[in-house]
Amino acid sequence: MKKGLIISLSLIVMLSVILSGCSKQSTLSRVKKSGVIVMGTSADFPPFEFHKLVNGKDTIMGFDVDLANAIAKKLGVKLEIKDIDFTGLIPALQSGQIDMAIAGMNATPDRKKNVDFSDEYYNSEQVLVVKSSSSINNLKDLNGKTVAVQLGTTSDNAAKKIKGIKLNELNRLGDAFLSLENGRVDAILMESTIANAYLKEYKDMKMLHIKEINEAVPGYSVAVAKGNQDLVNQINSVIKELKDSGEYDKMLNKWMGK
């Protein structure tokens, strides 16, 4: 009886191992099977991702969306986009809610512990945005001032290294600009390409290039859940093909100008 029980338990364990192995499917396999790849992004980051009314319909568009469409085309699937707060993107990858995150995300060492990244597809620099009438002109002028950043971003990490400031971490960059406009903060630390896009709307603000703030930070990459090198390889091939064909330069001109 005891021997039979041991055999039965062994069979159960073996069966559970086999079933768990079968159920653990790579992201690429799941995407091809479903015919849809889900892109997670934080759509307040123009010109990379932002909302716009197109024929009366709220549409997410931008450089990153064009990249995502190229990836979907390469895989022969449709693209679905989920707009998520930036800090929620990596958890969404880990839980399988999204298949890839394209959101101007830098492949930092800390993030690499939790997700896998593609090759870099864009590089930018950190800048300060202040009101045109502001007396802030250099790093020393920030002493005792309140600086807004988007929570969880490279700008957030860079701001934490600036001594003497009060840090205001916000989920959305749009909220940071409203805070600056209303005098709740004195400056915003963010990336230059996105700052240029926002300054087209906020004419009473200006951008400051401050050398000391800029560090050697990784460029933007596409993030996927850990252990999905096959999907990373496909994404890398798309990035290379876009650059080799000249399509990448067309995308830059389309969204950022020459």
Side-chain angles (χ1 to χ4, degrees), residues 12-204:
I12 291 169
V13 170
M14 287 174 65
L15 185 60
S16 64
V17 169
I18 291 168
L19 288 173
S20 64
C22 291
S23 62
K24 191 175 182 181
Q25 197 176 35
S26 74
T27 300
L28 183 58
S29 297
R30 187 178 71 244
V31 164
K32 288 193 171 182
K33 187 176 180 180
S34 68
V36 176
I37 188 164
V38 182
M39 165 197 179
T41 194
S42 182
D44 61 341
F45 206 59
F48 290 91
E49 42 266 332
F50 58 97
H51 288 267
K52 186 175 181 179
L53 279 176
V54 179
N55 298 324
K57 182 180 178 183
D58 180 38
T59 306
I60 297 175
M61 56 176 56
F63 184 95
D64 285 350
V65 177
D66 282 2
L67 175 57
N69 274 312
I71 293 167
K73 184 178 179 181
K74 170 84 171 178
L75 299 178
V77 298
K78 293 181 180 179
L79 177 67
E80 180 184 326
I81 304 173
K82 287 189 177 180
D83 188 9
I84 301 169
D85 283 346
F86 191 83
T87 51
L89 290 171
I90 288 178
L93 281 172
Q94 293 171 323
S95 65
Q97 294 177 54
I98 60 175
D99 303 311
M100 59 181 180
I102 315 182
M105 186 180 289
N106 306 85
T108 62
D110 282 344
R111 288 176 184 151
K112 284 182 177 179
K113 294 174 185 176
N114 298 300
V115 292
D116 289 336
F117 283 98
S118 71
D119 294 338
E120 293 180 6
Y121 65 87
Y122 190 80
N123 282 282
S124 189
E125 67 166 322
Q126 298 293 319
V127 296
L128 277 175
V129 173
V130 298
K131 284 188 175 180
S132 299
S133 58
S134 173
S135 60
I136 297 171
N137 292 300
N138 55 53
L139 201 59
K140 290 181 181 178
D141 293 338
L142 286 176
N143 189 44
K145 304 295 185 183
T146 302
V147 178
V149 293
Q150 186 176 25
L151 182 65
T153 61
T154 301
S155 303
D156 189 6
N157 293 333
K160 287 173 181 174
K161 297 174 185 177
I162 303 173
K163 294 179 180 178
I165 68 166
K166 299 170 186 174
L167 189 59
N168 189 351
E169 297 170 302
L170 300 166
N171 280 320
R172 298 279 177 171
L173 275 173
D175 294 336
F177 274 87
L178 287 174
S179 294
L180 180 57
E181 187 175 48
N182 296 326
R184 291 193 294 270
V185 302
D186 301 295
I188 306 167
L189 182 61
M190 59 189 301
E191 301 205 7
S192 59
T193 308
I194 292 80
N196 274 318
Y198 273 98
L199 290 178
K200 290 176 183 177
E201 178 182 350
Y202 292 90
K203 306 288 187 182
D204 60 338

